[in-house]
Structures are given as C-alpha cells and as structure tokens.
Amino acid sequence: MVEIIDGGITTPQGFKAAGVHSGVKYRSLDLGMLYSEVPARAYCAFTSNNVKAAPVQVMMEENSKTLSAVVVNSGNANALTGRRGIEDAYAMKQAVAAELNLDPKEVGVMSTGLIGRFLDMHKIRYGISRAARELDVGREPDKLICEAIMTTDTIKKECAVRTRLSDGTLVYIAAISKGSGMIEPHVKVLHGTTLTMITTDATLGDDFADTWQSILDDSMNMVSVDGDQSTNDTCILMANGMSKSKPADHDPEFEAALRLVMTKIARTIAMDGEGASKLIEVQVTGADTKDDARKVVKTIINSPLVKTAIFGADPNYGRLMMAVGNSGCKFDLNEVRLTIKGGDMEVPILDSGAPIFQDERAVEVVRMAMDNKEVTIMVDLGVGEETATGWGCDLTYDYVRINAEYAT
C-alpha cells in the first residue's frame, strides 16, 4: 500500500539538499544541489526537442549510470550558448565534484531560465561552494531547493510517499519539479521547462529502464501547458539502495508508488501553468490503441479554443469534438460519449453523436460544472479498450502578459 507523507526530496535515506542565492537572479534563490551519501543508480530522461540546451547535451554525451549529486541553476537556461555553454556546463560539474570530492561524471547538471544568455560562472561557482557547505536533511532544505529551481512557478512542486515492497522492505520515494510555461514534455530515456528530480532508497538495476519510460509516458509526457517542448526538459531518478531492499525493478509495489508520485507532480505542473486559473484533466476511453488515446488527450488539452472555453466556462462542446476530430485518431461518431465533470457535478453532454441537452437550463448546468478550479473532460471514442489520461490548464489573459514580458 502506498502512503503519501509530509516529506520532500531528502525524505529517502541518504539524501541531502540545499538551495542558495548565487546572484544569477537579483534576489531570489537560484541554485539548488542534491547529494546522495552513496553513489546512486541514475535513470535520466531528456527533451526530444532537436534544439537541446548545453546541460542536456553534456548529460546525454556522458550518459552516466551512476550519480552522487545534481546541481541546478535557475534564471539562465544555458541554451543556444554554443561552445561556451558546453564548457560552462562541464565547469559546473567540475566545481561540484571539487567541493564534494567526487568524479565529475558522478555529477548531473540542469539549467532553466532565459535562453541565449551566457552564465556568469563567477556567481555560479560561488553558489556551488555555498550550497555544498549547506547540504542538509529535512523540511527546510527541501523547501530551499524547491524555491531555488523555480522560474515563473508560483507554487512548490514536491511529493513524498512510502511503501512496503514485496520483500517486506519499507522504502521511500520523493520528487521535486519545476515547470510553468514552455511545457509539453516528451522526455525519453537515454536520449519555462520541466526539471524533475526523484530520489528513492530502494535498490534498482538495469531492468528498470522500460518501466521508467512507461511511467514517464503516462505522467510527465501527458502534461501540456502550451504545447511547446522545452530545450531543457530533464528528469533524473536516483536510487541509492540504502534501504537494503532486493532489486525492485519488477516490484509492483514500487512501480505503483512511483506512478503515484509522478502523477501527482504532473498534475501540479499543469495546475501551475503560466497564468492558469483552472486545471484540465482529460480522460479518454474506448480508443483503438494506446497511442490514439494519448493523441486525443493531447489534442484536446492543447487546443486554444478548448482552453479558452474552459477559462470562460463556455459550454461549447463543439470545440471538444473539433479537437477529437482533428486528432486524426480512429473513433465512431455514432458511439462517442462526452461528459464534463466539475466539483460535485458530472454532466453528460453527448451520447451516440447527438447532444443530450437542448434547453437553456441544461446549458447553465454545464456552465456551472465548468466554473470550477478543476474540470474533467471524459471522452469515450467507442472503438476499443485503450485509455489515457492527461493534464493541462486554461488559457488566460495572464498567460499572454507573462510571456509577452518574459525577457524584460
């Protein structure tokens, strides 16, 4: 059984964290560090955007299977910075390694913020030195590292759980993330921005990679704020084995716990989309294939017309069906069912391709369901057994304002 607990990234045994102000940002915390007391098995996934930031290129080139530390700066993405950006990413790794007596290959590196600006390495080195001295365990360092990796985020994104594995060992899993804009991750194993770090004291081996990709495909890869995939998306899972468990690569209890953590993080990212006022969850059932189900979800949550309709609580279900049709996926219009849920209200809209309601009173009921902080759209395609769920947010005036002024 999985239990959500009050905890953060340092909850699993052997992990420490810090968050400091290095000076990259004017006043806010802007550099975070995560450290494992023993080398941890690392599973990394990166953006599929063909324009990759320097830290992503460096991490992919080294492809380290073991990490002991990860350093993250915010305020500067170190993207589109050429050879100097690559050198600066390596310099960040080397600075952490020197402070913690590690091999640079044991250090992961991430960056987020403005694109096309060179890092001020004097400030970065100062921040790294300070963070290394302040590494600690507990809710305060959990809070500080969460704040240090934020850009336009308005809330901390963290989750911690505990579960008992099939061999009886009690293990912990925790995650932190940042992400508010430029978000439609398509992260692949070995291959505004989402940066995610997950820690666990469970033991994992080489067989976990496929399960890890499957979990990413059902969680982080089903989030979209604006349909734009970042140059910097990175997700790192560190398993240090300090629980002394047997390898949990195929343990259903561990997989269920990690899926819960990643789903909670994914929902929180969508909820905190730039300027968002509502979380949109889309549940697709009755699809012919899993790919079709996922594609329909993404088409709905990425549609500007759908997102603005949700923002205005406008019960224009034609926009939803337009998105289903535009997905290019197989469905039977004579079998399609559409339902909208908000708060305690669950309102059937369409059945067998025809509207259920016609009068103004019924339309007002739909509007009331849509006028909630969380709105769920349920679509049954009527052609198969496959399902998918994804998360997005509404499109508000504030999204335009934030992104029109982002670099200034």
Coordinates of all heavy atoms in Angstrom, one line a residue, residues 191-244:
H191 N 18.4 9.5 -24.1 CA 18.0 10.4 -25.2 C 18.1 11.9 -24.9 O 18.5 12.2 -23.7 CB 16.7 9.8 -25.6 CG 15.8 10.4 -26.5 ND1 15.6 9.9 -27.7 CD2 15.1 11.6 -26.5 CE1 14.7 10.6 -28.4 NE2 14.4 11.6 -27.6
G192 N 10.6 28.3 -19.9 CA 9.9 27.6 -19.0 C 10.0 26.1 -19.1 O 9.4 25.5 -19.7
T193 N 10.1 25.1 -19.1 CA 10.9 23.8 -18.9 C 10.4 23.1 -17.7 O 10.1 23.6 -16.7 CB 12.4 24.2 -18.7 OG1 12.9 25.0 -19.8 CG2 13.3 23.0 -18.5
T194 N 10.5 21.7 -17.8 CA 10.3 20.9 -16.6 C 11.6 20.3 -16.2 O 12.3 19.7 -17.0 CB 9.2 19.8 -16.9 OG1 9.7 18.9 -17.9 CG2 7.9 20.3 -17.3
L195 N 12.0 20.5 -15.0 CA 13.1 19.9 -14.4 C 12.6 19.1 -13.2 O 11.9 19.6 -12.4 CB 14.2 20.9 -13.9 CG 14.8 21.8 -15.0 CD1 15.8 22.7 -14.3 CD2 15.4 21.1 -16.1
T196 N 12.9 17.8 -13.2 CA 12.4 16.9 -12.2 C 13.5 16.1 -11.6 O 14.3 15.5 -12.3 CB 11.3 16.0 -12.7 OG1 10.3 16.8 -13.3 CG2 10.6 15.2 -11.6
M197 N 13.5 16.0 -10.2 CA 14.5 15.1 -9.6 C 13.7 14.2 -8.6 O 12.8 14.6 -7.9 CB 15.5 15.9 -8.8 CG 16.5 16.7 -9.6 SD 17.6 17.7 -8.6 CE 16.6 19.1 -8.4
I198 N 14.0 12.9 -8.7 CA 13.3 11.9 -7.9 C 14.3 11.1 -7.1 O 15.4 10.7 -7.7 CB 12.5 10.9 -8.8 CG1 11.5 11.7 -9.7 CG2 11.7 10.0 -7.9 CD1 12.0 11.7 -11.1
T199 N 14.1 10.9 -5.9 CA 15.0 10.2 -5.0 C 14.3 9.0 -4.4 O 13.1 9.0 -4.1 CB 15.6 11.0 -3.9 OG1 14.5 11.5 -3.1 CG2 16.4 12.2 -4.4
T200 N 15.0 7.9 -4.2 CA 14.5 6.7 -3.5 C 15.6 6.0 -2.9 O 16.8 5.9 -3.4 CB 13.7 5.8 -4.5 OG1 13.2 4.7 -3.7 CG2 14.6 5.2 -5.6
D201 N 15.3 5.3 -1.8 CA 16.3 4.5 -1.1 C 16.1 3.0 -1.5 O 16.8 2.1 -0.9 CB 16.3 4.7 0.4 CG 14.9 4.6 1.0 OD1 14.0 4.1 0.3 OD2 14.7 5.1 2.1
A202 N 15.3 2.8 -2.5 CA 15.1 1.4 -3.0 C 16.3 1.0 -3.8 O 17.1 1.9 -4.3 CB 13.8 1.3 -3.8
T203 N 16.5 -0.2 -4.1 CA 17.6 -0.7 -5.0 C 17.0 -1.0 -6.4 O 16.0 -1.7 -6.5 CB 18.2 -2.0 -4.4 OG1 18.6 -1.8 -3.1 CG2 19.3 -2.5 -5.3
L204 N 17.6 -0.4 -7.4 CA 17.1 -0.7 -8.8 C 18.3 -1.1 -9.6 O 19.5 -0.7 -9.4 CB 16.5 0.6 -9.3 CG 15.2 1.1 -8.7 CD1 14.8 2.4 -9.2 CD2 14.1 0.1 -8.8
G205 N 18.0 -1.8 -10.7 CA 19.1 -2.3 -11.6 C 18.8 -1.9 -13.0 O 17.9 -1.1 -13.4
D206 N 19.5 -2.6 -14.0 CA 19.4 -2.3 -15.4 C 18.0 -2.6 -16.0 O 17.6 -2.0 -17.0 CB 20.4 -3.1 -16.2 CG 21.8 -2.7 -15.9 OD1 22.0 -1.6 -15.4 OD2 22.8 -3.5 -16.1
D207 N 17.2 -3.5 -15.3 CA 15.9 -3.9 -15.9 C 14.8 -2.9 -15.7 O 13.7 -3.0 -16.2 CB 15.5 -5.2 -15.3 CG 16.3 -6.4 -15.8 OD1 17.0 -6.2 -16.8 OD2 16.2 -7.5 -15.1
F208 N 15.1 -1.8 -15.0 CA 14.1 -0.8 -14.7 C 13.8 0.2 -15.8 O 12.8 0.9 -15.8 CB 14.4 -0.1 -13.4 CG 13.3 0.8 -12.9 CD1 12.2 0.2 -12.4 CD2 13.4 2.2 -12.9 CE1 11.1 1.0 -11.9 CE2 12.4 3.0 -12.4 CZ 11.2 2.4 -11.9
A209 N 14.7 0.3 -16.8 CA 14.6 1.3 -17.8 C 13.2 1.3 -18.5 O 12.6 2.4 -18.8 CB 15.7 1.2 -18.8
D210 N 12.7 0.2 -18.9 CA 11.5 0.1 -19.7 C 10.3 0.6 -18.8 O 9.4 1.3 -19.3 CB 11.2 -1.3 -20.2 CG 12.1 -1.7 -21.4 OD1 12.7 -0.7 -21.9 OD2 12.3 -2.9 -21.7
T211 N 10.3 0.1 -17.5 CA 9.3 0.6 -16.6 C 9.3 2.1 -16.4 O 8.3 2.7 -16.4 CB 9.4 -0.1 -15.3 OG1 9.3 -1.6 -15.5 CG2 8.3 0.3 -14.3
W212 N 10.5 2.6 -16.3 CA 10.7 4.0 -16.1 C 10.1 4.8 -17.3 O 9.4 5.8 -17.1 CB 12.2 4.3 -16.0 CG 12.7 5.7 -15.9 CD1 13.7 6.2 -16.5 CD2 12.2 6.8 -15.0 NE1 13.9 7.6 -16.2 CE2 12.9 7.9 -15.2 CE3 11.1 6.8 -14.1 CZ2 12.7 9.1 -14.6 CZ3 10.9 8.1 -13.5 CH2 11.7 9.2 -13.7
Q213 N 10.4 4.4 -18.5 CA 9.9 5.0 -19.7 C 8.3 5.0 -19.7 O 7.6 5.9 -20.0 CB 10.4 4.4 -21.0 CG 10.0 5.1 -22.2 CD 10.5 6.6 -22.3 OE1 11.7 6.8 -22.4 NE2 9.6 7.5 -22.3
S214 N 7.8 3.8 -19.3 CA 6.3 3.7 -19.3 C 5.7 4.6 -18.3 O 4.7 5.3 -18.6 CB 6.0 2.2 -18.9 OG 4.6 2.1 -18.7
I215 N 6.3 4.8 -17.1 CA 5.8 5.7 -16.1 C 5.9 7.2 -16.6 O 4.9 7.9 -16.5 CB 6.6 5.6 -14.8 CG1 6.3 4.2 -14.2 CG2 6.2 6.7 -13.8 CD1 7.1 3.8 -13.0
L216 N 7.0 7.5 -17.3 CA 7.1 8.9 -17.9 C 6.0 9.1 -18.9 O 5.4 10.2 -19.0 CB 8.5 9.0 -18.5 CG 9.7 9.2 -17.5 CD1 11.0 9.2 -18.3 CD2 9.5 10.4 -16.7
D217 N 5.8 8.1 -19.8 CA 4.8 8.3 -20.8 C 3.4 8.5 -20.3 O 2.6 9.1 -20.9 CB 4.8 7.0 -21.7 CG 6.0 7.0 -22.7 OD1 6.7 8.0 -22.8 OD2 6.3 5.9 -23.2
D218 N 3.1 7.9 -19.1 CA 1.8 8.1 -18.5 C 1.7 9.2 -17.5 O 0.6 9.5 -17.0 CB 1.4 6.8 -17.8 CG 1.1 5.6 -18.7 OD1 0.7 5.9 -19.9 OD2 1.2 4.5 -18.3
S219 N 2.8 9.9 -17.3 CA 2.7 11.0 -16.3 C 3.3 12.3 -16.9 O 2.6 13.1 -17.5 CB 3.5 10.7 -15.0 OG 4.8 10.3 -15.3
M220 N 4.6 12.5 -16.9 CA 5.2 13.8 -17.3 C 4.9 14.0 -18.8 O 4.7 15.2 -19.2 CB 6.7 13.7 -17.1 CG 7.2 13.7 -15.7 SD 6.6 15.0 -14.7 CE 7.5 16.4 -15.4
N221 N 4.9 13.0 -19.6 CA 4.7 13.1 -21.0 C 3.2 13.3 -21.4 O 2.8 13.5 -22.6 CB 5.2 11.9 -21.8 CG 6.7 11.9 -21.9 OD1 7.4 12.9 -21.5 ND2 7.3 10.8 -22.3
M222 N 2.3 13.3 -20.4 CA 0.9 13.6 -20.6 C 0.5 15.0 -20.0 O -0.7 15.2 -19.8 CB 0.0 12.5 -20.0 CG 0.2 11.2 -20.7 SD -0.2 11.2 -22.5 CE -1.9 11.6 -22.4
V223 N 1.5 15.8 -19.8 CA 1.2 17.2 -19.3 C 1.5 18.2 -20.5 O 2.4 18.0 -21.2 CB 2.2 17.6 -18.2 CG1 1.9 19.0 -17.8 CG2 2.0 16.7 -17.0
S224 N 0.6 19.1 -20.6 CA 0.9 20.2 -21.6 C 0.3 21.5 -21.1 O -0.9 21.5 -20.8 CB 0.3 19.9 -23.0 OG 0.6 20.9 -23.9
V225 N 1.1 22.5 -21.0 CA 0.6 23.9 -20.7 C 0.3 24.7 -21.9 O -0.7 25.3 -22.1 CB 1.6 24.6 -19.8 CG1 1.2 26.1 -19.6 CG2 1.6 24.0 -18.4
D226 N 1.3 24.6 -22.9 CA 1.1 25.5 -24.1 C 1.5 24.7 -25.4 O 1.5 25.4 -26.4 CB 1.9 26.7 -23.9 CG 3.3 26.5 -23.4 OD1 3.8 25.4 -23.6 OD2 3.9 27.4 -22.7
G227 N 1.9 23.4 -25.3 CA 2.2 22.7 -26.5 C 3.6 22.9 -27.0 O 4.0 22.4 -28.0
D228 N 4.4 23.7 -26.2 CA 5.8 24.0 -26.7 C 6.8 23.2 -25.8 O 6.8 23.3 -24.6 CB 6.1 25.5 -26.5 CG 5.3 26.3 -27.6 OD1 5.2 25.8 -28.7 OD2 4.9 27.4 -27.2
Q229 N 7.5 22.3 -26.5 CA 8.5 21.5 -25.8 C 9.8 22.2 -25.5 O 10.4 22.8 -26.5 CB 8.8 20.2 -26.6 CG 9.7 19.2 -25.8 CD 10.0 18.0 -26.6 OE1 10.9 17.2 -26.2 NE2 9.5 17.9 -27.8
S230 N 10.3 22.2 -24.3 CA 11.4 23.0 -23.9 C 12.7 22.4 -24.5 O 12.8 21.2 -24.8 CB 11.5 23.0 -22.4 OG 12.7 23.6 -22.0
T231 N 13.7 23.3 -24.5 CA 15.1 22.9 -24.9 C 15.8 22.2 -23.7 O 16.9 21.7 -23.9 CB 15.9 24.1 -25.3 OG1 15.9 25.1 -24.2 CG2 15.3 24.8 -26.5
N232 N 15.3 22.3 -22.5 CA 16.0 21.9 -21.3 C 15.3 20.8 -20.5 O 15.9 20.4 -19.5 CB 16.1 23.1 -20.4 CG 17.1 24.2 -20.9 OD1 16.8 24.7 -21.9 ND2 18.1 24.4 -20.1
D233 N 14.2 20.3 -20.9 CA 13.5 19.2 -20.1 C 14.4 18.1 -19.7 O 15.1 17.5 -20.5 CB 12.4 18.6 -20.9 CG 11.1 19.5 -21.1 OD1 11.0 20.4 -20.2 OD2 10.4 19.4 -22.0
T234 N 14.5 17.9 -18.4 CA 15.3 16.8 -17.8 C 14.6 16.2 -16.6 O 14.1 16.9 -15.8 CB 16.7 17.4 -17.4 OG1 17.3 18.0 -18.5 CG2 17.6 16.2 -16.9
C235 N 14.7 14.9 -16.6 CA 14.1 14.2 -15.4 C 15.1 13.1 -15.0 O 15.6 12.3 -15.8 CB 12.8 13.5 -15.9 SG 11.9 12.7 -14.5
I236 N 15.5 13.2 -13.7 CA 16.5 12.3 -13.2 C 16.0 11.6 -11.9 O 15.5 12.2 -11.0 CB 17.8 13.1 -12.8 CG1 18.4 13.8 -14.0 CG2 18.8 12.1 -12.1 CD1 19.6 14.6 -13.6
L237 N 16.1 10.3 -12.0 CA 15.7 9.4 -10.8 C 17.0 8.8 -10.3 O 17.8 8.2 -11.0 CB 14.8 8.3 -11.3 CG 14.5 7.1 -10.3 CD1 13.9 7.6 -9.1 CD2 13.7 6.0 -11.0
M238 N 17.2 9.0 -9.0 CA 18.4 8.5 -8.3 C 17.9 7.5 -7.2 O 17.1 7.8 -6.3 CB 19.1 9.6 -7.6 CG 19.7 10.6 -8.6 SD 20.4 12.1 -7.7 CE 21.9 11.3 -6.9
A239 N 18.4 6.3 -7.4 CA 18.1 5.2 -6.4 C 19.4 4.7 -5.7 O 20.3 4.1 -6.4 CB 17.5 4.0 -7.2
N240 N 19.6 5.0 -4.4 CA 20.8 4.8 -3.8 C 20.9 3.4 -3.0 O 21.9 3.1 -2.5 CB 21.2 5.9 -2.8 CG 20.3 6.1 -1.6 OD1 19.5 5.2 -1.3 ND2 20.4 7.2 -1.0
G241 N 19.8 2.7 -2.9 CA 19.8 1.4 -2.3 C 20.0 1.3 -0.8 O 20.2 0.2 -0.3
M242 N 19.9 2.5 -0.1 CA 20.2 2.4 1.3 C 19.2 1.8 2.2 O 19.4 1.5 3.3 CB 20.5 3.9 1.8 CG 21.8 4.4 1.2 SD 22.3 6.0 2.0 CE 22.7 5.5 3.7
S243 N 18.0 1.4 1.6 CA 17.0 0.6 2.3 C 17.5 -0.8 2.4 O 16.9 -1.6 3.2 CB 15.7 0.7 1.6 OG 15.7 0.0 0.4
K244 N 18.5 -1.2 1.6 CA 18.9 -2.6 1.5 C 17.9 -3.6 1.0 O 17.9 -4.8 1.3 CB 19.4 -3.1 2.9 CG 20.5 -2.2 3.6 CD 21.7 -2.1 2.8 CE 22.8 -1.3 3.5 NZ 24.0 -1.0 2.6

